[in-house]
Amino acid sequence: MKAFFVVTSATKQERAYPSQGIDLTSCRGLSRCHGHEKKLPRSILIFRPYAMTSAYLLGLLALSFFIHQGALSGYWRFDDGWLLDFASRFSPRDYFLNPAITRGYSLNNLTPFNPFVYDLNLWLFGLSPRGFYFQHVTSLAGCAIAGFLLLRIWAPPVFAFLGAVAFLVGAPSLFVSQQLMVGHYLAGLFFSILAIYAYLHSVDRQNWWLTALATLFYFLATTCKEIYFPLPFVLPFFQRGRLSTRLYHAFPLVAWSAGYLFWRFIVLGSFVGGYDSGDRTFSIIKSLQAFSTIPSLLFGDDYLGLTVTLVFLVLLGYAAKNKKINIPLLIVGLLAVSLPLVPLTNFPGITQPNRYLLLPWWLISMTLATSLAGLASLSTAIRLLIGTLFITGIAAHAWQEQARIQPKLDRFDTIYNFFMTSPSERIFYSAGIKDAYYLDTVLNGARNTLARRRGIPTGRIGIIVRQENLKSVDTTRHSVWRYDDFCNCMLDISNELATADASLRSTTAPELLIVPVSPPYPPLFEYADGKIEHRLLNGSDLHIDGWSVQPSDDLEQQLILITPTRPGSYDIKANSLVDDPAHLSAFEFRLSLTYPDKESAGLAANQSCLLIRSALTPIKLLSDDNQSMCQGFLTTSQ
């Protein structure tokens, strides 16, 4: 999974003193050069290696905050509200050790370390986004610093520094720095680099304490993201010591990989997985096409990007031709990095240099450094010039990509701020994002966290995604707001709407959102005003009858079906039971689901649950006397 490395050639200083047999690249602190002090030039004694290393590390830390300083002014974005809500509900013991709560964070991935980061930051910084971003950028700096230290095993400091800087300025790093929700990618990369570093030293020194430390780092990496799982199977291909020694010290990490698979099966019910792709079928051609676009995503598709790509390929080719590259490690590393990307080419797709390409970008950055270090036929100055031009090219592309996504970041900043500061009488009209379930989860999730931190209820802000429903809003009770791209602000559009007429309120059947997931279910919701009365299984067809009650001025009813297998088709019919504008509105519904076969339908009949939400009402569970399993969704027993 990790980078392949070029065997570093002798430096100019080593060539100047060949007869003395001094390896200056290994003199980190003069204790390793003991007895050679008189043979060393005075300038080398003055600028001692450990002092220079410290300077490089401080330089990387400073560069991290200089390059990514824009992140420090960011607000909550994307999934932050949901993560804040989840972290404020549960403790680390819950989401690490309780399978129902662990899967409550992610239905597709085993990543409990991410809510832990939010939990820790809530404890340290409260609801201050700046504190969160400070920790986030510090993690990014930690990856660069750890990469530098790892490269120092093979490359002189200046080239190791170039590799770390290349990692910092790349487009994936710039994308990740602006999104708190992907902090677990950074944490996993950081722990993986430390695991490699500790493992290599454990092999060199035959030290089992270092092996235990490497195993601990690998364990932490796997709790961050599945893409770091293949690490133990890459380690034996590093050319350090004998193969038997490498296998011996890699065994504890391999043992945990087996334990990890068992843990994943308990929590998610499968050994492998990924994002639910719905009815999409996997296509090899589509996957290959997606992989072919990765170079342009990382380097750019203009002349500058093509030049940078060509330079990298030439460096890589030179290293391979001159046998300064570990070919087996290269092949295994590329496979370990690429295979986790294959499912993503189907859904949601690799279309941006975002978090999905962070690990490949780290691999490229490390390879750049070791390739430059292996160009012994060129002077150090020329190699530094090549590296600088390379970094300049990728930085230019990264800033172009950053400018392209900035409007979306600004929109989330403004909308989240609206939800965190507005009274509950307001309604948000989302003209851009139509997924009301997602908006409710993330935006009101942040608001839920605010209420817990204050210890007082803040109320929920309503969300409307259909323009035709605006005419039904009672503007004497609610004000309606929308985001405006031109001013990057929220506008009150209540005056543009006529006072609602109850007779105009929509009575059409509710929409259905299908979430395919198996029990156990996370305890996140309360009971709704409604009930499932009957479940009728007829071959591969499943019919669910029930009723629900909502406020008379509520809109956009949505049923959320949690089912272990996705139905092939469905139909909803609803009839109004009570229509009294002064009180409540009740309706009954029949949900007809058709599954691929009888077995799937039977499983859904025994394990599916139904939740409901609407514009002014949060997500709640419909009770079912014949289905006790769904009570796992309840925050408290009722």
Side-chain angles (χ1 to χ4, degrees):
M1 180 179 68
K2 298 302 177 186
F4 50 91
F5 299 95
V6 176
V7 178
T8 308
S9 61
T11 66
K12 182 185 294 185
Q13 292 163 325
E14 290 170 332
R15 294 194 298 269
Y17 303 93
S19 62
Q20 297 173 1
I22 305 171
D23 180 9
L24 297 183
T25 62
S26 65
C27 293
R28 303 180 185 90
L30 293 182
S31 61
R32 298 186 62 176
C33 304
H34 182 69
H36 298 289
E37 292 89 343
K38 294 181 180 180
K39 301 178 184 180
L40 296 173
R42 179 178 176 81
S43 60
I44 296 178
L45 288 174
I46 294 175
F47 299 103
R48 296 189 174 187
Y50 64 83
M52 292 303 297
T53 298
S54 299
Y56 280 121
L57 299 184
L58 290 175
L60 288 173
L61 181 62
L63 276 175
S64 299
F65 279 91
F66 175 76
I67 295 170
H68 304 284
Q69 59 181 306
L72 298 178
S73 60
Y75 202 66
W76 308 120
R77 296 167 176 169
F78 303 101
D79 298 350
D80 287 343
W82 155 242
L83 281 158
L84 289 168
D85 191 7
F86 187 88
S88 65
R89 286 175 184 261
F90 305 112
S91 69
R93 182 178 62 182
D94 294 327
Y95 45 74
F96 273 101
L97 301 178
N98 187 327
I101 296 177
T102 305
R103 75 188 280 108
Y105 161 67
S106 175
L107 304 176
N108 305 298
N109 303 290
L110 182 56
T111 54
F113 198 88
N114 205 22
F116 174 73
V117 173
Y118 278 78
D119 215 340
L120 180 63
N121 284 336
L122 278 172
W123 177 68
L124 291 173
F125 309 113
L127 277 170
S128 168
R130 182 177 292 271
F132 278 68
Y133 281 104
F134 176 82
Q135 177 275 323
H136 191 62
V137 177
T138 301
S139 296
L140 183 60
C143 292
I145 290 172
F148 169 83
L149 294 175
L150 182 61
L151 279 172
R152 282 293 292 114
I153 297 177
W154 297 275
V158 65
F159 296 111
F161 182 77
L162 277 178
V165 172
F167 169 74
L168 286 174
V169 302
S173 297
L174 210 58
F175 264 65
V176 167
S177 71
Q178 301 288 332
Q179 301 179 29
L180 294 174
M181 69 172 185
V182 299
H184 54 311
Y185 282 81
L186 287 176
L189 177 58
F190 177 69
F191 292 133
S192 295
I193 300 171
L194 293 182
I196 297 174
Y197 190 81
Y199 168 79
L200 293 177
H201 281 284
S202 73
V203 172
D204 288 344
R205 302 178 186 182
Q206 300 289 294
N207 188 318
W208 269 95
W209 286 108
L210 290 174
T211 303
L213 187 62
T215 306
L216 174 61
F217 287 138
Y218 172 60
F219 163 77
L220 293 173
T222 57
T223 66
C224 295
K225 195 65 182 173
E226 293 93 337
I227 59 175
Y228 303 109
F229 169 79
L231 175 60
F233 308 98
V234 179
L235 295 178
F237 291 89
F238 284 95
Q239 293 180 346
R240 311 289 291 188
R242 295 185 300 177
L243 175 60
S244 59
T245 303
R246 298 197 300 270
L247 292 173
Y248 188 60
H249 286 270
F251 177 77
L253 286 82
V254 175
W256 167 245
S257 66
Y260 172 82
L261 289 176
F262 178 71
W263 182 30
R264 193 183 197 284
F265 184 81
I266 291 177
V267 174
L268 299 178
S270 64
F271 294 113
V272 296
Y275 296 103
D276 175 61
S277 60
D279 298 327
R280 301 175 179 87
T281 57
F282 178 75
S283 169
I284 296 179
I285 295 177
K286 183 177 180 180
S287 180
L288 292 175
Q289 290 175 341
F291 274 100
S292 68
T293 64
I294 290 179
S296 63
L297 293 176
L298 293 176
F299 302 116
D301 55 4
D302 54 9
Y303 288 115
L304 180 59
L306 294 176
T307 302
V308 171
T309 305
L310 181 61
V311 169
F312 177 75
L313 293 176
V314 169
L315 289 174
L316 186 59
Y318 176 88
K321 179 182 178 181
N322 290 274
K323 299 180 180 179
K324 295 184 178 294
I325 193 169
N326 185 339
I327 298 297
L329 180 61
L330 166 62
I331 296 174
V332 174
L334 286 176
L335 286 174
V337 167
S338 302
L339 288 178
L341 298 178
V342 173
L344 301 178
T345 60
N346 186 41
F347 179 81
I350 302 176
T351 58
Q352 293 180 322
N354 54 18
R355 63 189 183 275
Y356 301 143
L357 299 183
L358 180 69
L359 182 56
W361 179 246
W362 181 82
L363 173 64
I364 290 173
S365 302
M366 301 299 102
T367 304
L368 168 70
T370 51
S371 298
L372 286 172
L375 283 172
S377 58
L378 298 179
S379 66
T380 300
I382 293 178
R383 285 184 282 172
L384 290 178
L385 178 61
I386 294 174
T388 302
L389 292 176
F390 182 92
I391 290 174
T392 302
I394 59 177
H397 170 64
W399 288 111
Q400 291 174 354
E401 290 295 312
Q402 171 64 25
R404 187 174 61 83
I405 67 167
Q406 191 60 48
K408 180 180 290 187
L409 301 179
D410 293 338
R411 180 167 67 248
F412 269 105
D413 288 347
T414 302
I415 294 175
Y416 261 112
N417 186 66
F418 170 79
F419 269 74
M420 296 296 278
T421 59
S422 296
S424 58
E425 291 77 16
R426 293 181 176 180
I427 292 177
F428 170 55
Y429 166 53
S430 173
I433 303 176
K434 297 297 184 181
D435 188 347
Y437 175 73
Y438 172 77
L439 291 173
D440 207 349
T441 302
V442 299
L443 297 176
N444 277 309
R447 196 170 173 88
N448 293 340
T449 308
L450 180 64
R452 293 190 188 96
R453 298 291 297 185
R454 289 180 175 178
I456 56 175
T458 57
R460 177 178 175 276
I461 290 182
I463 298 174
I464 290 179
V465 297
R466 297 181 189 172
Q467 184 177 8
E468 61 269 21
N469 285 327
L470 292 176
K471 62 185 179 182
S472 300
V473 177
D474 185 355
T475 54
T476 63
R477 298 179 54 192
H478 304 280
S479 59
V480 183
W481 298 69
R482 69 170 177 85
Y483 174 78
D484 185 82
D485 291 291
F486 182 76
C487 67
N488 184 29
C489 63
M490 301 296 297
L491 297 179
D492 186 352
I493 60 173
S494 304
N495 293 333
E496 303 173 16
L497 308 175
T499 302
D501 184 346
S503 63
L504 296 177
R505 193 172 66 82
S506 173
T507 58
T508 58
E511 291 183 324
L512 181 69
L513 175 68
I514 299 174
V515 181
V517 62
S518 302
Y521 297 121
L524 300 176
F525 308 110
E526 298 177 352
Y527 271 137
D529 292 329
K531 191 175 183 179
I532 295 177
E533 298 285 2
H534 305 287
R535 292 173 184 257
L536 177 61
L537 181 62
N538 183 13
S540 60
D541 295 330
L542 174 63
H543 302 281
I544 302 177
D545 298 330
W547 58 273
S548 183
V549 177
Q550 64 177 353
S552 59
D553 60 350
D554 212 343
L555 305 162
E556 297 187 347
Q557 197 82 13
Q558 185 179 46
L559 293 172
I560 305 168
L561 177 68
I562 309 295
T563 178
T565 55
R566 182 183 289 273
S569 61
Y570 67 88
D571 179 63
I572 303 177
K573 295 181 180 179
N575 298 309
S576 177
L577 296 176
V578 179
D579 192 5
D580 183 359
H583 298 90
L584 298 173
S585 176
F587 66 92
E588 61 181 3
F589 62 85
R590 161 162 281 204
L591 177 60
S592 300
L593 307 163
T594 300
Y595 285 86
D597 48 57
K598 294 182 180 180
E599 291 74 16
S600 299
L603 186 64
N606 294 325
Q607 298 186 358
S608 61
C609 304
L610 206 59
L611 299 97
I612 196 165
R613 68 157 299 276
S614 53
L616 302 177
T617 306
I619 302 169
K620 294 186 177 182
L621 174 70
L622 288 174
S623 63
D624 185 351
D625 294 337
N626 299 317
Q627 183 55 279
S628 60
M629 182 177 298
C630 296
Q631 292 181 355
F633 273 119
L634 298 177
T635 55
T636 58
S637 58
Q638 298 187 26

